[in-house]
Amino acid sequence: MTMVKKTIFFDIDGTIYDEDKKVPASAREAIAELQRRGHNVVIATGRGAYMFKQLREELGIDSFVSLNGQYVVHKGEVIYTNRLETDVLKELTLFAEKNDHPVAYIDATDMKVNTAEHVNIVTSIGSLKLAFPTYDAEYFLLNDIYQAIIFCPQESQAAYEEAYPELKFVRWHPLGMDVLPGNGSKAGGIAKMLEILGVDKAEVYAFGDGLNDVEMLSYVGHGIAMGNAEEEVKAAATYVTKHVSEDGIYEGLKMVGLL
């Protein structure tokens, strides 16, 4: 009997990557086995493409939904982009500056910040084990920006949501939140990918752990939350697997019958 080809989306931080930003051996082997069996393996992350190029090469994955669905690539070819409007970014930056909240601007190839040094950036970007982004306060004026980050504490988020109802704000760190176009989400990016693949949602699986994964896990036929996921994320999933460091991906794939 021929197995129906499935499509599996994997978040990176806290899902493929453990706390040390390493891929557990069991996850690496499980992903390789999915590929050997002919399934579509796709990354779905809040990171920009340049931030996980090495990981894609390491795992042999050439399709991804990046920047929380705003930049989607199928087999190396860009199939969908969703940019933030420059005028809105200009206003948002002024609003953030008044509150001493630095802003980062991310496109397909880089991330720039409008503040040369700030403890909020060091703390939040440092948690991803990424290099400190370089300074260019006018980067958004000259490039297509698909996602911004405002480096602000949790209690400040409501003020942004009230001032900019046309935008979406997704918290990923106590001092960092992503800024997306109002219609942006990982689920939206996944929908674009499924159109290209000609795949029904019922044949689609997704693994995630963060608040930016809630819509993705609800959208696909089989949402799998990591054991280390936040409670809101687990509630959105069909299944909850083990912690990322306890072979969470491998155990989750076994749980849903893919391994």
Side-chain angles (χ1 to χ4, degrees), residues 16-192:
I16 291 180
Y17 275 162
D18 62 18
E19 297 95 329
D20 299 320
K21 303 303 175 191
K22 291 191 167 33
V23 183
S26 61
R28 188 187 308 279
E29 289 157 16
I31 287 169
E33 181 59 27
L34 289 176
Q35 291 165 324
R36 274 195 292 274
R37 295 185 183 191
H39 298 306
N40 299 312
V41 177
V42 187
I43 285 173
T45 179
R47 289 180 176 231
Y50 74 95
M51 297 181 196
F52 60 101
K53 183 172 184 286
Q54 186 179 336
L55 179 67
R56 297 198 305 275
E57 291 170 352
E58 204 180 305
L59 299 178
I61 297 173
D62 58 4
S63 295
F64 57 87
V65 173
S66 67
L67 296 172
N68 287 310
Q70 313 325 296
Y71 193 87
V72 182
V73 170
H74 174 249
K75 295 195 178 298
E77 182 186 341
V78 180
I79 60 165
Y80 175 71
T81 62
N82 188 25
R83 63 186 284 274
L84 287 158
E85 293 297 329
T86 306
D87 289 348
V88 175
L89 277 173
K90 193 179 290 186
E91 283 182 35
L92 183 69
T93 298
L94 290 171
F95 188 87
E97 284 173 345
K98 284 177 190 166
N99 294 292
D100 187 34
H101 297 153
V103 183
Y105 313 103
I106 313 174
D107 62 8
T109 59
D110 209 348
M111 169 164 54
K112 301 289 185 184
V113 286
N114 71 338
T115 307
E117 286 182 31
H118 198 287
V119 64
N120 290 10
I121 307 177
V122 173
T123 306
S124 53
I125 293 293
S127 75
L128 299 176
K129 293 190 164 45
L130 292 172
F132 192 91
T134 52
Y135 170 78
D136 185 346
E138 297 188 345
Y139 194 70
F140 73 95
L141 296 172
L142 304 168
N143 296 276
D144 285 338
I145 304 302
Y146 302 108
Q147 181 171 291
I149 300 173
I150 296 177
F151 299 97
C152 68
Q154 179 83 53
E155 57 268 23
S156 303
Q157 185 164 335
Y160 286 93
E161 289 171 339
E162 190 178 330
Y164 297 94
E166 72 274 30
L167 297 175
K168 184 180 285 185
F169 299 92
V170 184
R171 176 76 41 184
W172 57 271
H173 185 274
L175 291 173
M177 64 179 180
D178 292 330
V179 183
L180 313 176
N183 64 344
S185 70
K186 279 191 186 181
I190 285 173
K192 299 296 180 184

Side-chain angles (χ1 to χ4, degrees), residues 156-257:
S156 303
Q157 185 164 335
Y160 286 93
E161 289 171 339
E162 190 178 330
Y164 297 94
E166 72 274 30
L167 297 175
K168 184 180 285 185
F169 299 92
V170 184
R171 176 76 41 184
W172 57 271
H173 185 274
L175 291 173
M177 64 179 180
D178 292 330
V179 183
L180 313 176
N183 64 344
S185 70
K186 279 191 186 181
I190 285 173
K192 299 296 180 184
M193 181 72 75
L194 298 186
E195 282 175 25
I196 294 289
L197 294 173
V199 171
D200 187 88
K201 275 197 305 186
E203 306 298 337
V204 177
Y205 299 72
F207 285 73
D209 73 302
L211 294 175
N212 62 337
D213 297 319
V214 168
E215 286 163 312
M216 168 176 83
L217 297 181
S218 305
Y219 176 74
V220 300
H222 311 269
I224 303 131
M226 304 300 286
N228 46 283
E230 299 188 41
E231 289 309 312
E232 187 181 333
V233 182
K234 290 178 180 176
T238 317
Y239 308 90
V240 178
T241 183
K242 291 188 177 178
H243 192 285
V244 60
S245 299
E246 296 171 345
D247 304 326
I249 283 181
Y250 171 76
E251 292 294 341
L253 289 167
K254 263 179 49 179
M255 187 187 295
V256 297

